[in-house]
Amino acid sequence: MTLGAEQNVRGPIWGELTRAQNRQAVSNLARAFHLPRTQAKTAILVMLDALTQSLDEDALSRDRLARLIELLGSSDYERVLETPTLMGAPSTQTIGKDALNVLFGPEAAANMSSHVANAAGISITVAEYLLPVVAAMIVGSLSFLTRAEVIGFIRNEPAIPEDFTAALQLPVGRGSSGFFNGLTLATHSVYGDADRPALFGHLAEEVRLGANAADADPYEPVRRIIARGFGMRARYVPWFAKLHVWGTSALQSAGTQAQQRLNQFRTRMRHEDR
């Protein structure tokens, strides 16, 4: 399977992980922990699958969204993603544990080591050190994918038109349809503005305190930006998704009925011609 094909199937986060470090990030991670690449890859995919299910079943709460925004305000995670030598650094373990708790929640994060260890065929001890690094890389990937759009929201730059129909086509990868017509504004040349931590920190605090809570969720665009980064389903328009499913089913049923009636009409006409 090619890089582009894997990205389309497994989503944008996996696409970033396989793009980083001249497409050697997964191999470099394996070498850092003295593992075969297949085991490192399995560990990453198990974590991504668990993360996808977690977010799909539990939409981002206000507090969880705020904590995630704070992580995205740090350029440290992008550096881990792009720097092989940081995979084994003590600082990566520290920020990675923070990322792990935010992404999965403390309870799920505590149980993740045994789950990944069993799936990848590695020891729990190795998994306990591996998971924070992978979590840091996941946040770094999400930061690359969403940074420009979140900064645009904070600075009140012109919004990008939404396309709810395209939002239902998942997983969403770079260059394909998505919450914002598949347009990826994030760049990979810099780690971000010097004032980025302050910008993201202020946004996180507003989200946490519920500023303008009387309005119809002013931070909905941020949720959608992050959801698109994860390649998640358009959870915030569930009525549209249900309508889409109902409409597709109704059209299929109508088509079947029309075909049956046409066949009956043709049969009757043949009998009358005789």
Side-chain angles (χ1 to χ4, degrees), residues 4 13 32 82 95 192 202:
I13 296 292
E82 296 292 350
I95 66 171
H202 180 68

Side-chain angles (χ1 to χ4, degrees), residues 30-245:
R31 279 192 287 271
F33 285 88
H34 307 286
L35 297 172
R37 187 182 186 279
T38 53
Q39 289 180 311
K41 179 179 178 180
T42 298
I44 293 172
L45 292 177
V46 168
M47 287 184 66
L48 285 176
D49 182 62
L51 179 60
T52 299
Q53 292 183 24
S54 170
L55 290 177
D56 193 47
E57 294 169 359
D58 178 22
L60 287 173
S61 65
R62 188 178 293 275
D63 182 63
R64 192 176 183 188
L65 176 63
R67 294 173 66 199
L68 185 54
I69 290 171
E70 288 174 338
L71 294 185
L72 297 177
S74 171
S75 59
D76 291 340
Y77 295 99
E78 295 174 24
R79 290 192 175 93
V80 171
L81 179 66
E82 296 292 350
T83 311
T85 55
L86 288 178
M87 290 179 173
S91 59
T92 300
Q93 287 291 318
T94 300
I95 66 171
K97 289 176 181 177
D98 290 339
L100 200 61
N101 286 331
V102 172
L103 290 174
F104 295 97
E107 184 176 347
N111 297 327
M112 188 63 61
S113 295
S114 59
H115 180 51
V116 170
N118 291 332
I122 60 180
S123 70
I124 293 181
T125 301
V126 171
E128 287 175 346
Y129 283 97
L130 178 67
L131 264 57
V133 180
V134 175
M137 294 171 70
I138 290 174
V139 172
S141 299
L142 183 64
S143 180
F144 270 134
L145 288 163
T146 63
R147 180 208 315 135
E149 291 169 330
V150 174
I151 290 177
F153 172 82
I154 294 172
R155 292 176 173 168
N156 198 28
E157 294 175 352
I160 302 170
E162 298 175 2
D163 185 344
F164 289 118
T165 302
L168 296 174
Q169 301 173 2
L170 300 171
V172 179
R174 183 184 295 120
S176 60
S177 298
F179 282 100
F180 297 95
N181 294 328
L183 185 62
T184 300
L185 299 182
T187 63
H188 299 87
S189 58
V190 294
Y191 289 127
D193 299 338
D195 58 348
R196 178 169 141 203
L199 286 173
F200 280 60
H202 180 68
L203 174 61
E205 190 62 20
E206 285 190 338
V207 171
R208 186 174 285 111
L209 294 176
N212 302 318
D215 298 336
D217 194 351
Y219 306 109
E220 182 77 359
V222 180
R223 284 193 173 92
R224 288 185 179 144
I225 291 169
I226 292 175
R228 187 189 68 80
F230 278 121
M232 297 302 303
R233 185 175 299 278
R235 293 184 53 79
Y236 304 103
V237 283
W239 62 268
F240 188 89
K242 292 178 180 178
L243 177 63
H244 176 79
V245 172

